[in-house]
């Protein structure tokens, strides 16, 4: 049995030079995507080839093991990540084909015909609820399509969905990122959740304002800032209070419901600007007369109820599956296998858990989404043939996104297995006390590579705690900063970009979407870095539990 031991500084025994080489796959990926506008799956394939070359020639990893790490990453990309997205989009597709999504859309439109408000309610609040329940790209896929149905242009819909999918991410999928962070750092997940709940709510204050700005610029901010700010404040307060005093896994569920209630209440209490409907981006984005007529048409109350039932079913299924007794029973179907032929050790000679592949067959959010889909078939009276046709259509629609996600995860696993990612993290961790400022950047990098805040926490959580010990900083603060910074890498992750592009019908234009969102990702990241630095010092140290 051949065991590969990682080397942190393989290039000239220098962490700096080694980090420069280790960054080549990521630089390749983002240059090809954002600079050369290459299709995401092609850019990911080229970047994967670069990662394999660096792993073999710079890090001395056997080519066979490097390739095996890539295959494990591709498998992980499909299960559990794509398994969740595919089943979520399948449920959505069934509601479209039965016409109930159109009913749901009209229900949202009747709350407000102002597209700036619609962006807040759908992309931010409803997206947060989907993130709380499923995560892993589901809110981006569903809310972007809902926005298009309300008259938004595809590119703008994708940008709004990605930008909104930030503040809720750390507590997504019933707080899976925070719970994972607790496991890898040996810190209390409740304490970590409380700390994250004192960082991401501050981000949530600004996200609805940014969404309004994306939709309608300065005019939008001037005319709708009270609603945007009120929704952000409601979400922030609820997320903070729930994560600190009630339940970490329920933080996003409560925050999403409170924020949408606040937004609806403020819309009804405040008259529309100028008494007219405001459409995104001017006349070019105005919906057709046929759409306006459909919005104005009254729906039977029973049909409205049935339109909401699939999403209510998803909530019920996920909540029931979180009950301890049910969760333990479902957990018996979990299989853990060692990826064949892949044997890894850290630079310290300790076995790595990366080759351990977990098949949580029944506790996976994807399987639970599948169960919700089967119940949706009954609720909407869809035949087995119709459901299978919808599933086929979903797979065809997502085919390029599926390929991209699997390639990106293969890239991430090769970088992780060879030691490229840990080289970058160790080099940054050598910054001493200033690492408090850099800590969120490390989380951002992990999510940008893997597309998952959970994976980023698995990758860098322990490193953050070790760096905190060397720099005499709070381990809870830096571990939480990894997750809070990671949520901002979500919108620039090729995995999420591919899902967004596929959802809105812009396959091949992932680079265009990236250029629209990266500025907001970096602006928010800079703010998070400053916040963590202040929390590490006397100014805001009182915020650390």
């Amino acid at each position: 049995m051949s065991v590969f031991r990682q080397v942190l500084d393989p290039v000239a025994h220098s962490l700096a030079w080694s980090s420069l080489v280790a960054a080549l796959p990521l630089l390749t990926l983002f240059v090809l995507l954002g600079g050369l506008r290459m299709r995401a799956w092609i850019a990911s394939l080229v970047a994967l080839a670069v990662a394999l070359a660096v792993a073999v020639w710079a890090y001395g990893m056997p080519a066979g093991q490097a390739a095996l790490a890539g295959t494990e990453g591709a498998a992980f990309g499909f299960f559990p990540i794509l398994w969740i997205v595919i089943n979520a989009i399948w449920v959505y597709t069934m509601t479209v084909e039965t016409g109930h999504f159109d009913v749901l859309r009209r229900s949202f439109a009747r709350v407000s015909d102002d597209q700036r408000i619609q962006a807040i309610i759908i992309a931010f609040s409803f997206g947060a609820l989907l993130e709380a329940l499923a995560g892993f790209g589901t809110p981006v896929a569903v809310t972007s399509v809902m926005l298009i149905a309300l008259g938004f242009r595809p590119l703008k819909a994708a940008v709004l969905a990605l930008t909104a999918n930030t503040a809720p991410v750390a507590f997504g999928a019933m707080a899976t990122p925070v719970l994972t962070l607790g496991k890898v750092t040996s810190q209390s997940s409740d304490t970590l959740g409380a700390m994250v709940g004192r960082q991401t709510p501050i981000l949530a204050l600004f996200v609805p304002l940014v969404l309004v700005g994306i939709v309608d610029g300065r005019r939008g901010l001037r005319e709708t800032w009270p609603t945007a700010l009120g929704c952000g404040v409601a979400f922030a307060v609820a997320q903070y209070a729930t994560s600190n005093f009630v339940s970490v896994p329920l933080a996003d569920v409560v925050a999403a419901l409170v924020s949408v209630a606040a937004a609806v209440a403020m819309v009804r209490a405040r008259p529309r600007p100028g008494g007219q409907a405001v459409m995104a981006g001017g006349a070019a984005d105005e919906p057709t007369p046929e759409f306006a007529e459909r919005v104005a048409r009254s729906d039977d109350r029973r049909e409205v109820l049935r339109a909401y039932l699939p999403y209510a079913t998803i909530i019920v299924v996920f909540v029931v599956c979180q009950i301890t007794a049910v969760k333990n029973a479902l957990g018996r179907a979990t299989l853990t296998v060692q990826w064949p032929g892949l044997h890894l050790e850290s630079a310290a000679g300790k076995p790595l858990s990366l080759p351990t592949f977990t098949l949580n067959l029944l506790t996976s959010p994807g399987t639970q989404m599948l169960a919700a889909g089967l119940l949706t078939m009954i609720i909407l009276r869809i035949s087995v043939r119709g459901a299978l046709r919808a599933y086929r259509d979903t797979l065809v629609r997502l085919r390029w996104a599926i390929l991209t996600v699997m390639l990106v995860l293969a890239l991430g696993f090769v970088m992780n297995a060879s030691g490229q990612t840990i080289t970058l993290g160790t080099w940054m961790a050598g910054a001493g006390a200033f690492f408090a400022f850099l800590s969120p950047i490390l989380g951002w990098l992990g999510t940008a590579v893997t597309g998952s805040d959970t994976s980023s926490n698995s990758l860098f959580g322990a490193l953050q705690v070790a760096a905190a010990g060397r720099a005499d900083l709070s381990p809870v603060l830096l571990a939480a900063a990894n997750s809070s910074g990671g949520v901002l890498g979500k919108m620039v992750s090729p995995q999420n970009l591919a899902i967004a592009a596929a959802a809105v019908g812009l396959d091949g234009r992932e680079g265009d979407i990236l250029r629209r969102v990266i500025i907001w990702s970096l602006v928010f990241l800079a703010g998070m870095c400053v916040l963590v630095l202040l929390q590490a010092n006397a100014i805001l140290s009182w915020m650390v539990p």
Side-chain angles (χ1 to χ4, degrees):
M1 180 180 66
S2 175
V3 178
F4 171 70
R5 177 179 289 189
Q6 294 176 340
V7 180
L8 299 183
D9 54 353
V11 181
H13 300 293
S14 166
L15 266 179
W17 282 108
S18 299
S19 295
L20 185 61
V21 173
L24 288 177
L26 299 181
L27 292 174
T28 301
L29 182 60
F30 287 118
V31 168
L32 293 181
L33 266 181
L36 301 183
R37 304 188 182 188
M38 193 173 286
R39 290 179 67 90
W41 73 268
I42 298 176
S44 301
L45 183 61
V46 174
L48 173 59
V50 173
L52 288 168
V54 171
V56 173
W57 290 322
Y59 281 78
M61 188 176 193
Q65 295 225 43
L68 285 170
T71 60
E72 186 188 3
F76 183 79
F78 189 84
F79 189 95
I81 295 174
L82 286 167
W83 182 235
I84 300 168
V85 176
I86 289 169
N87 288 318
I89 298 299
W90 173 54
V91 174
Y92 155 75
T93 302
M94 287 193 292
T95 65
V96 169
E97 293 187 353
T98 59
H100 287 89
F101 182 78
D102 200 42
V103 176
L104 180 68
R105 177 178 63 190
R106 289 196 294 271
S107 177
F108 274 111
R110 278 193 292 272
V111 173
S112 174
D113 53 9
D114 186 332
Q115 289 194 331
R116 301 167 300 193
I117 303 301
Q118 291 169 352
I120 296 172
I121 293 176
I122 295 174
F124 183 68
S125 296
F126 186 60
L129 182 60
L130 292 176
E131 179 67 37
L133 299 174
F136 296 100
T138 303
V140 171
V142 175
T143 61
S144 59
V145 176
M146 292 183 73
L147 291 173
I148 289 177
L150 288 168
F152 287 79
R153 292 175 177 174
L155 183 59
K156 186 173 287 185
V159 170
L160 288 167
L162 285 164
T163 305
N165 191 220
T166 47
V169 168
F171 296 103
M174 306 306 289
T176 297
V178 173
L179 297 178
T180 301
L181 186 63
K183 289 180 182 178
V184 301
T185 61
S186 299
Q187 303 285 320
S188 165
S189 58
D190 287 337
T191 305
L192 290 171
M195 187 67 245
V196 173
R198 302 176 191 197
Q199 293 171 336
T200 56
I202 296 175
L203 172 66
L205 294 173
F206 299 98
V207 173
L209 293 168
V210 170
L211 296 180
V212 167
I214 292 173
V215 173
D216 197 31
R218 293 182 180 178
R219 183 184 69 165
L221 287 170
R222 185 174 61 252
E223 294 179 349
T224 60
W225 70 264
T227 303
L229 185 60
C231 181
V233 168
F235 186 96
V237 171
Q239 192 184 58
Y240 161 73
T242 307
S243 62
N244 276 264
F245 307 113
V246 182
S247 167
V248 171
L250 292 179
D252 274 353
V253 175
V254 175
L257 296 176
V258 170
S259 69
V260 75
V264 171
M266 294 189 70
V267 166
R268 291 179 175 175
R270 190 169 181 264
R272 292 179 309 201
Q276 299 294 324
V278 180
M279 317 317 287
D285 274 359
E286 291 184 8
T288 63
E290 292 79 9
F291 172 75
E293 182 181 349
R294 289 201 305 271
V295 170
R297 193 168 62 239
S298 175
D299 291 302
D300 182 88
R301 287 186 178 181
R302 288 175 297 178
E303 290 304 305
V304 173
L305 177 61
R306 289 177 68 193
Y308 276 93
L309 275 177
Y311 296 97
T313 300
I314 293 172
I315 294 174
V316 171
V317 168
F318 276 80
V319 169
V320 168
C321 289
Q322 290 300 314
I323 297 173
T324 302
V326 176
K327 192 172 184 177
N328 291 340
L330 296 176
R332 293 171 186 162
T334 298
L335 303 176
T336 302
V337 297
Q338 291 298 119
W339 201 255
L342 190 59
H343 308 288
L344 307 173
E345 289 183 351
S346 68
K350 297 180 179 179
L352 293 176
S353 61
L354 187 141
T356 303
F357 192 85
T358 302
L359 282 167
N360 48 339
L361 298 174
L362 297 182
T363 56
S364 166
T367 304
Q368 294 165 14
M369 189 67 72
L370 176 65
L374 296 174
L375 292 173
T376 297
M377 288 174 55
I378 299 172
I379 293 169
L380 301 185
R381 300 172 187 172
I382 301 171
S383 67
V384 173
R385 178 178 294 180
L388 290 175
R389 184 176 61 249
Y391 210 99
R392 180 202 63 198
D393 293 344
T394 299
L395 291 173
V396 171
R397 180 178 188 178
L398 293 176
R399 62 190 184 280
W400 296 115
I402 290 171
L403 178 59
T404 301
V405 170
M406 293 179 73
L407 287 170
V408 168
L409 267 296
L411 163 68
F413 269 59
V414 170
M415 292 186 66
N416 297 347
S418 63
Q420 296 171 55
T421 311
I422 204 71
T423 292
L424 290 167
T426 305
W427 175 62
M428 293 176 63
F434 187 66
F435 184 63
F437 181 86
L438 300 177
S439 179
I441 298 177
L442 198 55
W444 180 92
L445 178 67
T447 304
V449 173
T450 65
S452 164
D453 195 41
T454 300
S455 298
S456 178
N457 288 344
S458 298
L459 192 61
F460 290 133
L463 178 65
Q464 296 271 15
V465 170
R470 291 197 297 268
D472 196 26
L473 297 168
S474 166
V476 169
L477 172 62
L478 294 198
N482 192 85
S483 194
S484 297
V487 307
L488 303 172
K490 190 88 169 178
M491 69 174 90
V492 297
S493 163
Q495 170 190 309
N496 249 23
L497 291 171
I499 291 171
V504 302
L506 293 178
D507 286 308
R509 294 188 60 187
E510 292 86 357
D512 292 336
I513 301 174
L514 172 63
R515 284 193 297 277
R516 298 290 186 93
V517 299
I518 192 168
I519 182 63
W520 292 115
S521 178
L522 295 177
V523 167
F524 283 142
L525 178 60
M528 186 61 67
C529 289
V530 171
L531 173 62
V532 173
L533 181 63
L534 294 176
Q535 289 176 330
N537 290 281
I539 300 174
L540 294 180
S541 60
W542 52 270
M543 295 181 70
V544 180

